[in-house]
Amino acid sequence: MTERIGPGDARYRAVVEKRFNKRFTAHPDYVRLVKSTEDVMSAVQDAVREGQRLVVTSGGHCLEGFVSDPDVRVIVDVSPMKHILYDAAMGAIAVEAGATVGETYKILFETWGSTIPLGEYPQIGMGGHVSGGAFGFLCRQLGLAADYLYAVEVVTVDSGGTARSIVATREPSDPNRELWWAHTGGGGGNFGVVTKYWFRSLDAAGDDPATLLPRAPQSITTFKAEWNWSDIDQSWFLQLVRNHGIWSEQNAGADSPNATLWALLELHRKQFGKIVVRGVSTAGDAAVGQVNDHLAALSQGLLAPHGFELAKMSWLDFALNPLPDLFAAPPGGVSAKVKDALLRKRFTDQQIAVAYDYLTRSDHDIMGGMLGQATYGGRINTVAPDATASAQRNAILDIACNTGWIDPRDEEKNVVWARAFYRALFADSGGVPVPSDAYDGAFINHPDTDLADPALNTSGVPWSTLYYRNNYPRLQAVKAQWDPCGVFHHALSIRSAENIPSRSAVS
Ligand SMILES: Cc1cc2nc3c(=O)[nH]c(=O)nc-3n(C[C@H](O)[C@H](O)[C@H](O)COP(=O)(O)OP(=O)(O)OC[C@H]3O[C@@H](n4cnc5c(N)ncnc54)[C@H](O)[C@@H]3O)c2cc1C
């Protein structure tokens, strides 16, 4: 059994303060650094017996305060659990939930030359990441990480309040299969404590561990280019964002030769001085031509971007330090607000005009702030919406209104800007991306509690439909079966069936 680590211990601070988003802070009575499934069971059992609210953390990269919540009394940190190995009995690669994305990339590559399409930041923890679906630089080519999930081990609490360890696989004959399914996009902190994931491609055959998962790319080519805001007026901005949207629509198919290209258009606020496009190609020798064609498509009818940077490197060099300045934060970290949406079509000219307004207007006195537009689709969209809990299988772009700040006194004006911007972008559907032929809702790995606020979501469509679409009732049934006492919860957690929202079916 692991010790209870209290506020006087340096390890307590390390767990409480490891969160990426400094906006939220927890004050638990104690934390536990667990090393095994048995440790997790006894930590959960103690908290349940003592009526103490507990949460689990892995990498600390939650964008909302689901872990860093002042009401939480116990934090169970699984990050000491990092083993990654081939499990012959399961015929799959086992990854403990405390491994980070970077640690997983490294072991998979060095041991088997393989990879999983995980997320874009090496310090993210596998525990909270994979269960939220998980997309990344390789998603257009390989799909979501959850599409490779074969099985999961979870410590749950039954109706008698007893903590138990359950293994659930995707095998049709497995009586626990629904619990596996819920971990392919249901999101972290909902059903129990994940201690281990097993991965295996759906079409993998045989028992050679090197063939169970996709081969890592032979090489990676990264690029970056930029335009100066001083050269940009409204019609120029409109054309750039329109060009980017057209490229994204035309290249969202899994069979597109450009499925090997991932790109991010960073529409920063004017004070930042520039608009940046960057991306990643796995096209090998064809990468340079592919990148040039992409930049030519974006700047059609416009000035070509300047400051062009291109670099070729091995997959592992890239995966452990991808696009270094993308998430760069000063010592002490940043607070952030991220408002995510998935688009099935490019923004209309009216929406682009809204973006121009919020990026250039001076009545919001904030330093940061941008609209990011990342390419999506490809292989992700070849999977049926109910095959996994990740229902959004029609999007072509993942966009986000983001802002960050250091001084807590700057929080309000930053959040006000991001909220107003997002609401104006989606003004035609109650201020949120209601699933339709234009939008595909939002992504639970980028949670935004505003979607559950009736003052900010005036669509009449509940947050649960925006995140889970028609999969929500099924997730509620899993919740009712596997967390009947509601031990695991946070601001956007799945509610059991008695709270089924009135409108859960959206075409
Ligand atoms: C800089 C940055 C970049 C990101 N990039 C991407 C990206 O490219 N793709 C993407 O899909 N997402 C991305 N995310 C989002 C990230 O995947 C999610 O926030 C994820 O939930 C983080 O998991 P974590 O374990 O690091 O976080 P934590 O803060 O530890 O946990 C997040 C949530 O998961 C729960 N959780 C954690 N561990 C477990 C466990 N073992 N069992 C059950 N529940 C658990 C927590 O209770 C909490 O509710 C990014 C986030 C940041 C901050």
Side-chain angles (χ1 to χ4, degrees):
M1 192 203 284
T2 56
E3 63 186 300
R4 299 178 187 215
I5 302 171
D9 191 308
R11 292 170 297 172
Y12 175 97
R13 282 195 64 183
V15 171
V16 169
E17 293 180 5
K18 80 171 170 181
R19 72 226 186 277
F20 178 89
N21 189 354
K22 305 300 183 203
R23 185 175 171 211
F24 306 101
T25 309
H27 307 284
D29 298 339
Y30 65 90
V31 305
R32 271 183 151 144
L33 284 158
V34 289
K35 297 186 183 62
S36 67
T37 303
E38 290 68 35
D39 283 353
V40 174
M41 284 196 291
S42 83
V44 170
Q45 195 64 73
D46 285 351
V48 170
R49 191 188 321 108
E50 294 165 19
Q52 300 276 59
R53 173 152 177 228
L54 86 144
V55 292
V56 53
T57 188
S58 175
H61 278 65
C62 190
L63 291 165
E64 287 285 2
F66 297 168
V67 174
S68 300
D69 178 338
D71 289 344
V72 164
R73 305 273 42 94
V74 180
I75 298 181
V76 177
D77 186 343
V78 299
S79 54
M81 299 175 68
K82 292 179 181 297
H83 290 114
I84 299 174
L85 46 85
Y86 171 56
D87 182 338
M90 283 291 224
I93 306 294
V95 180
E96 287 190 318
T100 63
V101 161
E103 288 161 349
T104 308
Y105 280 141
K106 185 168 161 60
I107 301 285
L108 290 180
F109 182 76
E110 289 179 343
T111 316
W112 301 289
S114 62
T115 198
I116 304 169
L118 296 164
E120 296 157 11
Y121 196 59
Q123 273 78 45
I124 298 170
M126 292 292 279
H129 183 57
V130 173
S131 54
F135 70 82
F137 299 114
L138 303 180
C139 66
R140 283 162 51 81
Q141 206 177 337
L142 298 176
L144 300 177
D147 297 342
Y148 295 82
L149 188 65
Y150 173 71
V152 62
E153 181 183 74
V154 198
V155 172
T156 60
V157 178
D158 68 17
S159 56
T162 303
R164 297 187 303 151
S165 165
I166 309 289
V167 173
T169 73
R170 72 175 175 223
E171 294 297 335
S173 59
D174 187 340
N176 300 335
R177 189 177 191 275
E178 286 297 283
L179 187 61
W180 159 81
W181 178 85
H183 284 86
T184 58
N190 273 300
F191 310 103
V193 178
V194 176
T195 45
K196 197 187 290 183
Y197 294 110
W198 286 265
F199 296 93
R200 177 185 171 100
S201 301
L202 266 174
D203 59 357
D207 55 7
D208 176 358
T211 63
L212 297 179
L213 289 169
R215 306 305 299 159
Q218 286 290 334
S219 64
I220 290 288
T221 301
T222 63
F223 71 95
K224 181 179 171 190
E226 54 200 45
W227 295 269
N228 289 332
W229 259 109
S230 53
D231 297 330
I232 297 173
D233 63 14
Q234 184 159 3
S235 68
W236 191 103
F237 182 88
L238 178 85
Q239 191 63 47
L240 174 71
V241 182
R242 200 191 268 157
N243 287 348
H244 180 261
I246 291 168
W247 188 95
S248 302
E249 284 183 344
Q250 290 176 345
N251 291 279
D255 54 354
S256 163
N258 286 320
T260 50
L261 183 71
W262 174 94
L264 172 67
L265 182 63
E266 297 171 18
L267 300 164
H268 291 276
R269 269 170 61 82
K270 192 168 183 176
Q271 287 97 318
F272 187 73
K274 53 197 177 186
I275 285 174
V276 179
V277 59
R278 64 175 100 219
V280 177
S281 169
T282 57
D285 292 342
V288 176
Q290 183 182 53
V291 168
N292 285 336
D293 288 350
H294 179 64
L295 293 179
L298 259 57
S299 45
Q300 199 172 7
L302 303 169
L303 277 179
H306 64 86
F308 185 55
E309 292 172 11
L310 191 86
K312 192 170 179 181
M313 62 202 79
S314 77
W315 161 246
L316 193 60
D317 277 352
F318 167 78
L320 297 183
N321 189 22
L323 310 181
D325 55 339
L326 185 57
F327 299 110
V334 288
S335 296
K337 181 68 189 164
V338 174
K339 296 182 67 66
D340 166 272
L342 290 159
L343 307 189
R344 295 181 66 178
K345 286 186 178 160
R346 64 189 168 94
F347 275 142
T348 62
D349 287 357
Q350 195 181 348
Q351 288 172 308
I352 300 173
V354 167
Y356 183 82
D357 179 28
Y358 275 87
L359 295 172
T360 56
R361 59 198 289 172
S362 53
D363 57 336
H364 291 269
D365 169 32
I366 62 172
M367 289 306 292
M370 76 158 181
L371 172 64
Q373 298 203 26
T375 53
Y376 205 72
R379 177 87 173 263
I380 296 171
N381 292 353
T382 62
V383 177
D386 62 352
T388 67
S390 301
Q392 287 94 352
R393 299 293 185 163
N394 283 301
I396 61 159
L397 283 165
D398 177 50
I399 71 102
C401 300
N402 298 333
T403 185
W405 61 95
I406 295 168
D407 187 335
R409 289 171 299 185
D410 292 338
E411 171 172 334
E412 190 182 348
K413 61 186 179 184
N414 276 277
V415 173
V416 163
W417 174 81
R419 283 181 177 152
F421 184 9
Y422 190 85
R423 271 189 64 72
L425 276 176
F426 299 107
D428 65 346
S429 54
V432 295
V434 173
S436 64
D437 63 347
Y439 313 131
D440 211 2
F443 186 61
I444 194 60
N445 257 0
H446 291 173
D448 173 11
T449 54
D450 294 350
L451 300 189
D453 180 343
L456 297 171
N457 172 4
T458 50
S459 67
V461 176
W463 64 271
S464 49
T465 304
L466 301 176
Y467 284 115
Y468 302 114
R469 304 198 59 172
N470 293 342
N471 285 340
Y472 191 57
R474 193 169 160 192
L475 285 164
Q476 290 182 288
V478 178
K479 176 78 175 171
Q481 181 179 357
W482 292 102
D483 185 23
C485 306
V487 170
F488 300 94
H489 60 93
H490 54 68
L492 290 183
S493 56
I494 291 156
R495 319 290 197 243
S496 352
E498 64 268 23
N499 296 324
I500 287 181
S502 55
R503 188 176 164 194
S504 59
V506 172
S507 59

